[in-house]
Amino acid sequence: MPDADAFMNRLNPEMCVVTAAAGQERSGCLVGFSAQCSMRPVRFVVWLSKANHTYTVARRARHLAVHLLTRDQHELAARFGGETGDRVDKFTQVRWTRALGGAVVLEDTAAWFVGTVEGHLDGGDHVGFVVEPVQWGERADGPLLRLGDCLDISPGHPVD
């Protein structure tokens, strides 16, 4: 009988960068697990690793920002996916601004939204943050960055 990898390896989801701010602390990470999860009201879920610095900040945040990247933004993906906020300020050398509720928006991404955190779902080694979009923007066209485009990025934190 095939294992779960036989199914999972066929998927190629869009990647996004999720940023969180609480007090003076900010963090962000590359996320491969996310999806719209409700139509009325519109809600979206992003799954953050419990080992990730962004998870720690996001647990205290009222708003998260979710950013879509285009394929030509691989360097930005590597910055937020291959470094850890425990040791590096990922926001240096990146254009960003504050938005609703103090959320951190990356200015050069293809599209973004800020969402109010409506709840959490424990999924094992990741926690789902259910957010309701309340502010958004769009800046660039082009094919979206997908998991297959990011396989060369070593995670800032190991899965285990």
Side-chain angles (χ1 to χ4, degrees), residues 81-139:
E83 303 285 341
T84 174
D86 295 322
R87 295 188 291 271
V88 173
D89 182 353
K90 298 178 190 182
F91 296 89
T92 61
Q93 302 174 356
V94 174
R95 292 177 356 115
W96 61 274
T97 189
R98 292 278 181 185
L100 183 72
V104 178
V105 171
L106 304 177
E107 293 185 13
D108 296 320
T109 57
W112 58 270
F113 74 80
V114 171
T116 304
V117 177
E118 297 294 334
H120 304 96
L121 303 165
D122 192 321
D125 59 9
H126 283 64
V127 170
F129 287 74
V130 178
V131 294
E132 184 171 338
V134 292
Q135 184 181 23
W136 48 90
E138 183 176 29
R139 295 193 175 87

Side-chain angles (χ1 to χ4, degrees), residues 8-92:
M8 299 300 181
N9 289 341
R10 292 176 179 242
L11 302 177
N12 195 22
E14 296 89 4
M15 302 297 286
C16 60
V17 171
V18 175
T19 58
Q24 297 302 311
E25 196 171 14
R26 64 180 186 233
S27 194
C29 64
L30 185 65
V31 170
F33 307 150
S34 65
Q36 184 175 345
C37 60
S38 175
M39 294 184 339
R40 290 188 188 92
V42 173
R43 295 230 171 116
F44 198 83
V45 64
V46 292
W47 295 88
L48 302 179
S49 169
K50 293 177 182 177
N52 195 308
H53 180 259
T54 305
Y55 167 76
T56 305
V57 177
R59 289 292 294 178
R60 299 186 321 256
R62 287 281 305 126
H63 296 86
L64 299 179
V66 179
H67 308 80
L68 292 176
L69 308 178
T70 58
R71 286 190 186 143
D72 64 349
Q73 294 180 305
H74 184 274
E75 186 176 319
L76 185 60
R79 179 170 198 80
F80 281 89
E83 303 285 341
T84 174
D86 295 322
R87 295 188 291 271
V88 173
D89 182 353
K90 298 178 190 182
F91 296 89
T92 61

